[in-house]
Amino acid sequence: MNAADQEFHVKRQTCLGGSDAAAILGKSKWQTDFDVWLAKTGRSKPIEDNEAMYWGRTLEDIIAREYAQRKGVKIRRRGFIRDKQRPHMGANLDRVIVGHEDGPGVLEVKTAGAYTAADWWPDGTDQIPGYYLPQVAHYMAVTGYTWAAVAVLIGGSDFRTYDSPREDLYIDALVEIEEKWWRD
């Protein structure tokens, strides 16, 4: 692991990130809230890289650029940020959508294979899989943005996009749950 990756993992250990949100709510297919606790307290082994993770990272730039081209928007990298009012919440955004009529938005980039393809609704709806909704809401909570978009490449050839408007009731409940989880 290079120095930048090590620094990122140290930062991630000091707060809850978007991918932790689904686990805390019991919605994650990949980890539990106990797994998050083990990671935050330094008791877990680093997650082993696998093919899905490799291809997700490798295709992230391509999918993000394709989203920008198809939607006629500009995107930029933002990197890790921490919520100023709630330092136990952080976000490592894939991209930020800039210059949009609705203001800046979060762009979350995903890849999906055969096993999760059925979880994705038709292109253009606001229906993202329930295990990604907490992540997107967490990012809107941290950034204060009023909307987010998800771009996914399914099976290497099915490109879909989803707009997710800010739902303050959901975000407020999520923030409260995360705060209690972090404190307790």
Side-chain angles (χ1 to χ4, degrees):
M1 188 180 298
N2 65 36
D5 287 342
Q6 285 178 326
E7 182 182 335
F8 170 71
H9 286 289
V10 168
K11 284 181 188 175
R12 285 264 303 135
Q13 199 170 2
T14 66
C15 64
L16 294 173
S19 58
D20 301 325
I24 290 169
L25 293 179
K27 302 273 186 197
S28 176
K29 286 185 166 199
W30 302 278
Q31 62 178 349
T32 67
D33 64 335
F34 184 65
D35 294 324
V36 175
W37 180 82
L38 289 171
K40 300 304 175 187
T41 59
R43 292 174 171 91
S44 66
K45 295 178 184 173
I47 296 172
E48 297 266 335
D49 209 17
N50 61 40
E51 285 292 304
M53 293 165 67
Y54 169 80
W55 285 108
R57 282 191 315 275
T58 300
L59 294 172
E60 182 179 303
D61 261 352
I62 295 166
I63 296 167
R65 282 195 316 265
E66 186 64 20
Y67 174 86
Q69 181 180 346
R70 288 187 186 201
K71 296 295 185 175
V73 298
K74 294 185 181 195
I75 56 172
R76 65 179 167 88
R77 291 183 184 272
R78 175 73 190 261
F80 181 84
I81 57 174
R82 188 180 297 268
D83 189 305
K84 289 181 172 100
Q85 285 77 39
R86 300 171 295 242
H88 65 280
M89 293 177 68
N92 188 47
L93 306 176
D94 289 340
R95 302 289 184 283
V96 173
I97 302 163
V98 295
H100 191 275
E101 63 188 20
D102 295 331
V106 172
L107 176 59
E108 186 60 23
V109 175
K110 301 293 182 191
T111 56
Y115 295 113
T116 59
D119 296 348
W120 293 90
W121 288 69
D123 184 43
T125 68
D126 65 354
Q127 301 295 308
I128 62 175
Y131 46 86
Y132 288 135
L133 183 58
Q135 180 179 22
V136 171
H138 176 95
Y139 290 158
M140 285 189 272
V142 171
T143 62
Y145 295 167
T146 61
W147 69 288
V150 177
V152 61
L153 183 63
I154 302 170
S157 63
D158 184 1
F159 184 83
R160 300 182 192 180
T161 62
Y162 306 84
D163 287 337
S164 184
R166 184 182 182 95
E167 296 287 344
D168 283 323
L169 287 176
Y170 183 86
I171 289 172
D172 291 346
L174 175 64
V175 167
E176 186 176 319
I177 291 166
E178 287 187 23
E179 198 167 277
K180 183 178 180 345
W181 187 94
W182 188 260
R183 185 182 62 242
D184 296 342

PDB file of all heavy atoms in Angstrom, residues 42-73:
ATOM      1  N   GLY A  42      -9.660  -0.465  14.739  1.00  0.00           N
ATOM      2  CA  GLY A  42      -8.371  -1.048  14.379  1.00  0.00           C
ATOM      3  C   GLY A  42      -8.256  -2.532  14.654  1.00  0.00           C
ATOM      4  O   GLY A  42      -7.154  -3.060  14.733  1.00  0.00           O
ATOM      5  N   ARG A  43      -9.372  -3.222  14.770  1.00  0.00           N
ATOM      6  CA  ARG A  43      -9.354  -4.646  15.098  1.00  0.00           C
ATOM      7  C   ARG A  43      -9.535  -5.561  13.881  1.00  0.00           C
ATOM      8  O   ARG A  43      -9.512  -6.772  14.025  1.00  0.00           O
ATOM      9  CB  ARG A  43     -10.451  -4.948  16.114  1.00  0.00           C
ATOM     10  CG  ARG A  43     -10.183  -4.338  17.478  1.00  0.00           C
ATOM     11  CD  ARG A  43     -11.378  -4.560  18.406  1.00  0.00           C
ATOM     12  NE  ARG A  43     -11.087  -4.195  19.762  1.00  0.00           N
ATOM     13  CZ  ARG A  43     -11.302  -2.984  20.273  1.00  0.00           C
ATOM     14  NH1 ARG A  43     -11.787  -2.024  19.517  1.00  0.00           N
ATOM     15  NH2 ARG A  43     -11.027  -2.737  21.536  1.00  0.00           N
ATOM     16  N   SER A  44      -9.743  -4.989  12.716  1.00  0.00           N
ATOM     17  CA  SER A  44      -9.968  -5.833  11.533  1.00  0.00           C
ATOM     18  C   SER A  44      -8.744  -5.825  10.634  1.00  0.00           C
ATOM     19  O   SER A  44      -7.932  -4.908  10.666  1.00  0.00           O
ATOM     20  CB  SER A  44     -11.191  -5.358  10.758  1.00  0.00           C
ATOM     21  OG  SER A  44     -10.953  -4.081  10.221  1.00  0.00           O
ATOM     22  N   LYS A  45      -8.667  -6.857   9.835  1.00  0.00           N
ATOM     23  CA  LYS A  45      -7.619  -6.917   8.822  1.00  0.00           C
ATOM     24  C   LYS A  45      -8.051  -6.049   7.649  1.00  0.00           C
ATOM     25  O   LYS A  45      -9.252  -5.905   7.389  1.00  0.00           O
ATOM     26  CB  LYS A  45      -7.428  -8.358   8.350  1.00  0.00           C
ATOM     27  CG  LYS A  45      -6.915  -9.274   9.415  1.00  0.00           C
ATOM     28  CD  LYS A  45      -6.799 -10.683   8.882  1.00  0.00           C
ATOM     29  CE  LYS A  45      -6.382 -11.626   9.994  1.00  0.00           C
ATOM     30  NZ  LYS A  45      -6.414 -13.013   9.596  1.00  0.00           N
ATOM     31  N   PRO A  46      -7.111  -5.493   6.913  1.00  0.00           N
ATOM     32  CA  PRO A  46      -7.494  -4.726   5.718  1.00  0.00           C
ATOM     33  C   PRO A  46      -8.284  -5.606   4.753  1.00  0.00           C
ATOM     34  O   PRO A  46      -8.046  -6.812   4.655  1.00  0.00           O
ATOM     35  CB  PRO A  46      -6.151  -4.319   5.103  1.00  0.00           C
ATOM     36  CG  PRO A  46      -5.156  -4.454   6.205  1.00  0.00           C
ATOM     37  CD  PRO A  46      -5.669  -5.520   7.125  1.00  0.00           C
ATOM     38  N   ILE A  47      -9.236  -4.993   4.068  1.00  0.00           N
ATOM     39  CA  ILE A  47     -10.047  -5.727   3.101  1.00  0.00           C
ATOM     40  C   ILE A  47      -9.157  -6.141   1.936  1.00  0.00           C
ATOM     41  O   ILE A  47      -8.432  -5.319   1.379  1.00  0.00           O
ATOM     42  CB  ILE A  47     -11.221  -4.869   2.605  1.00  0.00           C
ATOM     43  CG1 ILE A  47     -12.160  -4.566   3.763  1.00  0.00           C
ATOM     44  CG2 ILE A  47     -11.970  -5.554   1.477  1.00  0.00           C
ATOM     45  CD1 ILE A  47     -13.244  -3.567   3.438  1.00  0.00           C
ATOM     46  N   GLU A  48      -9.214  -7.413   1.612  1.00  0.00           N
ATOM     47  CA  GLU A  48      -8.427  -7.937   0.491  1.00  0.00           C
ATOM     48  C   GLU A  48      -9.033  -7.440  -0.821  1.00  0.00           C
ATOM     49  O   GLU A  48     -10.245  -7.491  -1.020  1.00  0.00           O
ATOM     50  CB  GLU A  48      -8.448  -9.468   0.509  1.00  0.00           C
ATOM     51  CG  GLU A  48      -7.814 -10.082   1.723  1.00  0.00           C
ATOM     52  CD  GLU A  48      -6.352 -10.436   1.503  1.00  0.00           C
ATOM     53  OE1 GLU A  48      -5.957 -10.650   0.342  1.00  0.00           O
ATOM     54  OE2 GLU A  48      -5.628 -10.490   2.502  1.00  0.00           O
ATOM     55  N   ASP A  49      -8.174  -6.972  -1.693  1.00  0.00           N
ATOM     56  CA  ASP A  49      -8.618  -6.531  -3.008  1.00  0.00           C
ATOM     57  C   ASP A  49      -9.140  -7.731  -3.789  1.00  0.00           C
ATOM     58  O   ASP A  49      -8.635  -8.846  -3.645  1.00  0.00           O
ATOM     59  CB  ASP A  49      -7.441  -5.888  -3.746  1.00  0.00           C
ATOM     60  CG  ASP A  49      -7.877  -4.833  -4.739  1.00  0.00           C
ATOM     61  OD1 ASP A  49      -9.015  -4.355  -4.649  1.00  0.00           O
ATOM     62  OD2 ASP A  49      -7.065  -4.479  -5.600  1.00  0.00           O
ATOM     63  N   ASN A  50     -10.173  -7.514  -4.594  1.00  0.00           N
ATOM     64  CA  ASN A  50     -10.688  -8.590  -5.428  1.00  0.00           C
ATOM     65  C   ASN A  50     -10.953  -8.044  -6.829  1.00  0.00           C
ATOM     66  O   ASN A  50     -10.758  -6.856  -7.083  1.00  0.00           O
ATOM     67  CB  ASN A  50     -11.948  -9.214  -4.804  1.00  0.00           C
ATOM     68  CG  ASN A  50     -13.072  -8.219  -4.639  1.00  0.00           C
ATOM     69  OD1 ASN A  50     -13.326  -7.371  -5.500  1.00  0.00           O
ATOM     70  ND2 ASN A  50     -13.781  -8.313  -3.519  1.00  0.00           N
ATOM     71  N   GLU A  51     -11.403  -8.897  -7.713  1.00  0.00           N
ATOM     72  CA  GLU A  51     -11.624  -8.495  -9.106  1.00  0.00           C
ATOM     73  C   GLU A  51     -12.666  -7.385  -9.224  1.00  0.00           C
ATOM     74  O   GLU A  51     -12.489  -6.434  -9.970  1.00  0.00           O
ATOM     75  CB  GLU A  51     -12.049  -9.708  -9.949  1.00  0.00           C
ATOM     76  CG  GLU A  51     -10.918 -10.660 -10.272  1.00  0.00           C
ATOM     77  CD  GLU A  51      -9.891 -10.061 -11.217  1.00  0.00           C
ATOM     78  OE1 GLU A  51     -10.250  -9.607 -12.321  1.00  0.00           O
ATOM     79  OE2 GLU A  51      -8.705 -10.058 -10.843  1.00  0.00           O
ATOM     80  N   ALA A  52     -13.772  -7.497  -8.483  1.00  0.00           N
ATOM     81  CA  ALA A  52     -14.822  -6.475  -8.556  1.00  0.00           C
ATOM     82  C   ALA A  52     -14.283  -5.113  -8.104  1.00  0.00           C
ATOM     83  O   ALA A  52     -14.567  -4.084  -8.728  1.00  0.00           O
ATOM     84  CB  ALA A  52     -16.023  -6.884  -7.717  1.00  0.00           C
ATOM     85  N   MET A  53     -13.499  -5.107  -7.038  1.00  0.00           N
ATOM     86  CA  MET A  53     -12.924  -3.848  -6.551  1.00  0.00           C
ATOM     87  C   MET A  53     -11.935  -3.277  -7.572  1.00  0.00           C
ATOM     88  O   MET A  53     -11.933  -2.071  -7.838  1.00  0.00           O
ATOM     89  CB  MET A  53     -12.234  -4.080  -5.203  1.00  0.00           C
ATOM     90  CG  MET A  53     -13.215  -4.424  -4.088  1.00  0.00           C
ATOM     91  SD  MET A  53     -12.425  -5.110  -2.619  1.00  0.00           S
ATOM     92  CE  MET A  53     -11.507  -3.705  -2.019  1.00  0.00           C
ATOM     93  N   TYR A  54     -11.114  -4.148  -8.127  1.00  0.00           N
ATOM     94  CA  TYR A  54     -10.136  -3.709  -9.134  1.00  0.00           C
ATOM     95  C   TYR A  54     -10.836  -3.052 -10.322  1.00  0.00           C
ATOM     96  O   TYR A  54     -10.477  -1.959 -10.752  1.00  0.00           O
ATOM     97  CB  TYR A  54      -9.284  -4.895  -9.604  1.00  0.00           C
ATOM     98  CG  TYR A  54      -8.463  -4.554 -10.818  1.00  0.00           C
ATOM     99  CD1 TYR A  54      -7.266  -3.837 -10.685  1.00  0.00           C
ATOM    100  CD2 TYR A  54      -8.888  -4.894 -12.099  1.00  0.00           C
ATOM    101  CE1 TYR A  54      -6.527  -3.495 -11.799  1.00  0.00           C
ATOM    102  CE2 TYR A  54      -8.157  -4.545 -13.214  1.00  0.00           C
ATOM    103  CZ  TYR A  54      -6.970  -3.848 -13.070  1.00  0.00           C
ATOM    104  OH  TYR A  54      -6.252  -3.495 -14.187  1.00  0.00           O
ATOM    105  N   TRP A  55     -11.860  -3.741 -10.871  1.00  0.00           N
ATOM    106  CA  TRP A  55     -12.535  -3.208 -12.050  1.00  0.00           C
ATOM    107  C   TRP A  55     -13.341  -1.962 -11.718  1.00  0.00           C
ATOM    108  O   TRP A  55     -13.472  -1.054 -12.535  1.00  0.00           O
ATOM    109  CB  TRP A  55     -13.386  -4.282 -12.728  1.00  0.00           C
ATOM    110  CG  TRP A  55     -12.499  -5.239 -13.468  1.00  0.00           C
ATOM    111  CD1 TRP A  55     -12.210  -6.527 -13.129  1.00  0.00           C
ATOM    112  CD2 TRP A  55     -11.736  -4.951 -14.642  1.00  0.00           C
ATOM    113  NE1 TRP A  55     -11.312  -7.057 -14.023  1.00  0.00           N
ATOM    114  CE2 TRP A  55     -11.005  -6.116 -14.967  1.00  0.00           C
ATOM    115  CE3 TRP A  55     -11.589  -3.826 -15.439  1.00  0.00           C
ATOM    116  CZ2 TRP A  55     -10.152  -6.174 -16.060  1.00  0.00           C
ATOM    117  CZ3 TRP A  55     -10.741  -3.896 -16.542  1.00  0.00           C
ATOM    118  CH2 TRP A  55     -10.042  -5.059 -16.835  1.00  0.00           C
ATOM    119  N   GLY A  56     -13.880  -1.891 -10.521  1.00  0.00           N
ATOM    120  CA  GLY A  56     -14.579  -0.679 -10.107  1.00  0.00           C
ATOM    121  C   GLY A  56     -13.658   0.534 -10.122  1.00  0.00           C
ATOM    122  O   GLY A  56     -14.015   1.601 -10.644  1.00  0.00           O
ATOM    123  N   ARG A  57     -12.466   0.379  -9.565  1.00  0.00           N
ATOM    124  CA  ARG A  57     -11.472   1.474  -9.570  1.00  0.00           C
ATOM    125  C   ARG A  57     -10.996   1.774 -10.985  1.00  0.00           C
ATOM    126  O   ARG A  57     -10.850   2.933 -11.372  1.00  0.00           O
ATOM    127  CB  ARG A  57     -10.270   1.108  -8.703  1.00  0.00           C
ATOM    128  CG  ARG A  57     -10.471   1.246  -7.233  1.00  0.00           C
ATOM    129  CD  ARG A  57      -9.158   1.111  -6.472  1.00  0.00           C
ATOM    130  NE  ARG A  57      -8.325   0.004  -6.907  1.00  0.00           N
ATOM    131  CZ  ARG A  57      -8.441  -1.254  -6.473  1.00  0.00           C
ATOM    132  NH1 ARG A  57      -9.373  -1.570  -5.598  1.00  0.00           N
ATOM    133  NH2 ARG A  57      -7.630  -2.199  -6.914  1.00  0.00           N
ATOM    134  N   THR A  58     -10.733   0.742 -11.757  1.00  0.00           N
ATOM    135  CA  THR A  58     -10.202   0.911 -13.109  1.00  0.00           C
ATOM    136  C   THR A  58     -11.196   1.626 -14.016  1.00  0.00           C
ATOM    137  O   THR A  58     -10.810   2.473 -14.825  1.00  0.00           O
ATOM    138  CB  THR A  58      -9.820  -0.463 -13.704  1.00  0.00           C
ATOM    139  OG1 THR A  58      -8.828  -1.058 -12.857  1.00  0.00           O
ATOM    140  CG2 THR A  58      -9.292  -0.337 -15.110  1.00  0.00           C
ATOM    141  N   LEU A  59     -12.477   1.315 -13.873  1.00  0.00           N
ATOM    142  CA  LEU A  59     -13.501   1.891 -14.743  1.00  0.00           C
ATOM    143  C   LEU A  59     -14.097   3.202 -14.221  1.00  0.00           C
ATOM    144  O   LEU A  59     -14.858   3.853 -14.936  1.00  0.00           O
ATOM    145  CB  LEU A  59     -14.616   0.867 -14.973  1.00  0.00           C
ATOM    146  CG  LEU A  59     -14.188  -0.385 -15.753  1.00  0.00           C
ATOM    147  CD1 LEU A  59     -15.298  -1.417 -15.745  1.00  0.00           C
ATOM    148  CD2 LEU A  59     -13.789  -0.018 -17.174  1.00  0.00           C
ATOM    149  N   GLU A  60     -13.747   3.600 -13.009  1.00  0.00           N
ATOM    150  CA  GLU A  60     -14.357   4.791 -12.413  1.00  0.00           C
ATOM    151  C   GLU A  60     -14.196   6.029 -13.286  1.00  0.00           C
ATOM    152  O   GLU A  60     -15.166   6.750 -13.535  1.00  0.00           O
ATOM    153  CB  GLU A  60     -13.769   5.050 -11.024  1.00  0.00           C
ATOM    154  CG  GLU A  60     -14.400   6.240 -10.338  1.00  0.00           C
ATOM    155  CD  GLU A  60     -13.841   6.471  -8.952  1.00  0.00           C
ATOM    156  OE1 GLU A  60     -13.918   5.547  -8.124  1.00  0.00           O
ATOM    157  OE2 GLU A  60     -13.335   7.589  -8.706  1.00  0.00           O
ATOM    158  N   ASP A  61     -12.993   6.306 -13.749  1.00  0.00           N
ATOM    159  CA  ASP A  61     -12.757   7.475 -14.603  1.00  0.00           C
ATOM    160  C   ASP A  61     -13.593   7.418 -15.886  1.00  0.00           C
ATOM    161  O   ASP A  61     -14.169   8.417 -16.301  1.00  0.00           O
ATOM    162  CB  ASP A  61     -11.280   7.574 -14.995  1.00  0.00           C
ATOM    163  CG  ASP A  61     -10.510   8.549 -14.140  1.00  0.00           C
ATOM    164  OD1 ASP A  61     -11.132   9.260 -13.334  1.00  0.00           O
ATOM    165  OD2 ASP A  61      -9.278   8.593 -14.296  1.00  0.00           O
ATOM    166  N   ILE A  62     -13.619   6.255 -16.494  1.00  0.00           N
ATOM    167  CA  ILE A  62     -14.345   6.090 -17.760  1.00  0.00           C
ATOM    168  C   ILE A  62     -15.838   6.324 -17.546  1.00  0.00           C
ATOM    169  O   ILE A  62     -16.485   7.045 -18.321  1.00  0.00           O
ATOM    170  CB  ILE A  62     -14.080   4.681 -18.349  1.00  0.00           C
ATOM    171  CG1 ILE A  62     -12.603   4.551 -18.734  1.00  0.00           C
ATOM    172  CG2 ILE A  62     -15.002   4.388 -19.522  1.00  0.00           C
ATOM    173  CD1 ILE A  62     -12.149   3.137 -19.000  1.00  0.00           C
ATOM    174  N   ILE A  63     -16.396   5.738 -16.506  1.00  0.00           N
ATOM    175  CA  ILE A  63     -17.827   5.894 -16.230  1.00  0.00           C
ATOM    176  C   ILE A  63     -18.145   7.342 -15.882  1.00  0.00           C
ATOM    177  O   ILE A  63     -19.149   7.899 -16.348  1.00  0.00           O
ATOM    178  CB  ILE A  63     -18.265   4.924 -15.111  1.00  0.00           C
ATOM    179  CG1 ILE A  63     -18.087   3.470 -15.581  1.00  0.00           C
ATOM    180  CG2 ILE A  63     -19.704   5.194 -14.681  1.00  0.00           C
ATOM    181  CD1 ILE A  63     -18.177   2.440 -14.469  1.00  0.00           C
ATOM    182  N   ALA A  64     -17.298   7.985 -15.081  1.00  0.00           N
ATOM    183  CA  ALA A  64     -17.525   9.391 -14.714  1.00  0.00           C
ATOM    184  C   ALA A  64     -17.476  10.290 -15.952  1.00  0.00           C
ATOM    185  O   ALA A  64     -18.345  11.163 -16.133  1.00  0.00           O
ATOM    186  CB  ALA A  64     -16.490   9.842 -13.686  1.00  0.00           C
ATOM    187  N   ARG A  65     -16.497  10.076 -16.818  1.00  0.00           N
ATOM    188  CA  ARG A  65     -16.407  10.880 -18.051  1.00  0.00           C
ATOM    189  C   ARG A  65     -17.611  10.645 -18.952  1.00  0.00           C
ATOM    190  O   ARG A  65     -18.136  11.579 -19.562  1.00  0.00           O
ATOM    191  CB  ARG A  65     -15.110  10.569 -18.797  1.00  0.00           C
ATOM    192  CG  ARG A  65     -13.891  11.232 -18.210  1.00  0.00           C
ATOM    193  CD  ARG A  65     -12.691  11.210 -19.147  1.00  0.00           C
ATOM    194  NE  ARG A  65     -12.456   9.944 -19.804  1.00  0.00           N
ATOM    195  CZ  ARG A  65     -11.613   8.999 -19.377  1.00  0.00           C
ATOM    196  NH1 ARG A  65     -10.914   9.187 -18.290  1.00  0.00           N
ATOM    197  NH2 ARG A  65     -11.466   7.889 -20.049  1.00  0.00           N
ATOM    198  N   GLU A  66     -18.063   9.406 -19.033  1.00  0.00           N
ATOM    199  CA  GLU A  66     -19.231   9.093 -19.851  1.00  0.00           C
ATOM    200  C   GLU A  66     -20.480   9.784 -19.305  1.00  0.00           C
ATOM    201  O   GLU A  66     -21.292  10.305 -20.073  1.00  0.00           O
ATOM    202  CB  GLU A  66     -19.452   7.576 -19.926  1.00  0.00           C
ATOM    203  CG  GLU A  66     -20.545   7.151 -20.872  1.00  0.00           C
ATOM    204  CD  GLU A  66     -20.262   7.481 -22.338  1.00  0.00           C
ATOM    205  OE1 GLU A  66     -19.086   7.691 -22.714  1.00  0.00           O
ATOM    206  OE2 GLU A  66     -21.242   7.536 -23.123  1.00  0.00           O
ATOM    207  N   TYR A  67     -20.615   9.803 -17.985  1.00  0.00           N
ATOM    208  CA  TYR A  67     -21.746  10.509 -17.378  1.00  0.00           C
ATOM    209  C   TYR A  67     -21.703  11.989 -17.775  1.00  0.00           C
ATOM    210  O   TYR A  67     -22.711  12.555 -18.213  1.00  0.00           O
ATOM    211  CB  TYR A  67     -21.716  10.376 -15.849  1.00  0.00           C
ATOM    212  CG  TYR A  67     -22.793  11.209 -15.193  1.00  0.00           C
ATOM    213  CD1 TYR A  67     -24.072  10.706 -15.017  1.00  0.00           C
ATOM    214  CD2 TYR A  67     -22.542  12.509 -14.779  1.00  0.00           C
ATOM    215  CE1 TYR A  67     -25.070  11.470 -14.449  1.00  0.00           C
ATOM    216  CE2 TYR A  67     -23.534  13.289 -14.213  1.00  0.00           C
ATOM    217  CZ  TYR A  67     -24.790  12.768 -14.048  1.00  0.00           C
ATOM    218  OH  TYR A  67     -25.783  13.546 -13.490  1.00  0.00           O
ATOM    219  N   ALA A  68     -20.542  12.612 -17.620  1.00  0.00           N
ATOM    220  CA  ALA A  68     -20.408  14.034 -17.951  1.00  0.00           C
ATOM    221  C   ALA A  68     -20.736  14.298 -19.412  1.00  0.00           C
ATOM    222  O   ALA A  68     -21.438  15.266 -19.741  1.00  0.00           O
ATOM    223  CB  ALA A  68     -18.996  14.513 -17.622  1.00  0.00           C
ATOM    224  N   GLN A  69     -20.252  13.442 -20.294  1.00  0.00           N
ATOM    225  CA  GLN A  69     -20.506  13.613 -21.729  1.00  0.00           C
ATOM    226  C   GLN A  69     -21.993  13.452 -22.049  1.00  0.00           C
ATOM    227  O   GLN A  69     -22.570  14.288 -22.748  1.00  0.00           O
ATOM    228  CB  GLN A  69     -19.686  12.609 -22.526  1.00  0.00           C
ATOM    229  CG  GLN A  69     -19.876  12.752 -24.022  1.00  0.00           C
ATOM    230  CD  GLN A  69     -19.053  11.736 -24.809  1.00  0.00           C
ATOM    231  OE1 GLN A  69     -18.159  11.102 -24.280  1.00  0.00           O
ATOM    232  NE2 GLN A  69     -19.373  11.603 -26.074  1.00  0.00           N
ATOM    233  N   ARG A  70     -22.608  12.404 -21.544  1.00  0.00           N
ATOM    234  CA  ARG A  70     -24.026  12.161 -21.854  1.00  0.00           C
ATOM    235  C   ARG A  70     -24.943  13.222 -21.259  1.00  0.00           C
ATOM    236  O   ARG A  70     -25.963  13.552 -21.852  1.00  0.00           O
ATOM    237  CB  ARG A  70     -24.457  10.781 -21.346  1.00  0.00           C
ATOM    238  CG  ARG A  70     -23.873   9.656 -22.165  1.00  0.00           C
ATOM    239  CD  ARG A  70     -24.455   8.332 -21.740  1.00  0.00           C
ATOM    240  NE  ARG A  70     -23.782   7.240 -22.425  1.00  0.00           N
ATOM    241  CZ  ARG A  70     -24.306   6.041 -22.582  1.00  0.00           C
ATOM    242  NH1 ARG A  70     -25.509   5.775 -22.109  1.00  0.00           N
ATOM    243  NH2 ARG A  70     -23.630   5.099 -23.201  1.00  0.00           N
ATOM    244  N   LYS A  71     -24.586  13.738 -20.094  1.00  0.00           N
ATOM    245  CA  LYS A  71     -25.441  14.721 -19.415  1.00  0.00           C
ATOM    246  C   LYS A  71     -25.063  16.167 -19.747  1.00  0.00           C
ATOM    247  O   LYS A  71     -25.781  17.094 -19.375  1.00  0.00           O
ATOM    248  CB  LYS A  71     -25.380  14.522 -17.891  1.00  0.00           C
ATOM    249  CG  LYS A  71     -25.925  13.186 -17.437  1.00  0.00           C
ATOM    250  CD  LYS A  71     -27.411  13.084 -17.722  1.00  0.00           C
ATOM    251  CE  LYS A  71     -27.988  11.790 -17.170  1.00  0.00           C
ATOM    252  NZ  LYS A  71     -29.427  11.707 -17.333  1.00  0.00           N
ATOM    253  N   GLY A  72     -23.931  16.346 -20.426  1.00  0.00           N
ATOM    254  CA  GLY A  72     -23.495  17.697 -20.779  1.00  0.00           C
ATOM    255  C   GLY A  72     -23.121  18.542 -19.572  1.00  0.00           C
ATOM    256  O   GLY A  72     -23.414  19.733 -19.524  1.00  0.00           O
ATOM    257  N   VAL A  73     -22.480  17.912 -18.590  1.00  0.00           N
ATOM    258  CA  VAL A  73     -22.067  18.612 -17.381  1.00  0.00           C
ATOM    259  C   VAL A  73     -20.565  18.499 -17.191  1.00  0.00           C
ATOM    260  O   VAL A  73     -19.899  17.704 -17.862  1.00  0.00           O
ATOM    261  CB  VAL A  73     -22.792  18.061 -16.124  1.00  0.00           C
ATOM    262  CG1 VAL A  73     -24.298  18.260 -16.231  1.00  0.00           C
ATOM    263  CG2 VAL A  73     -22.452  16.594 -15.894  1.00  0.00           C
TER     264      VAL A  73
END
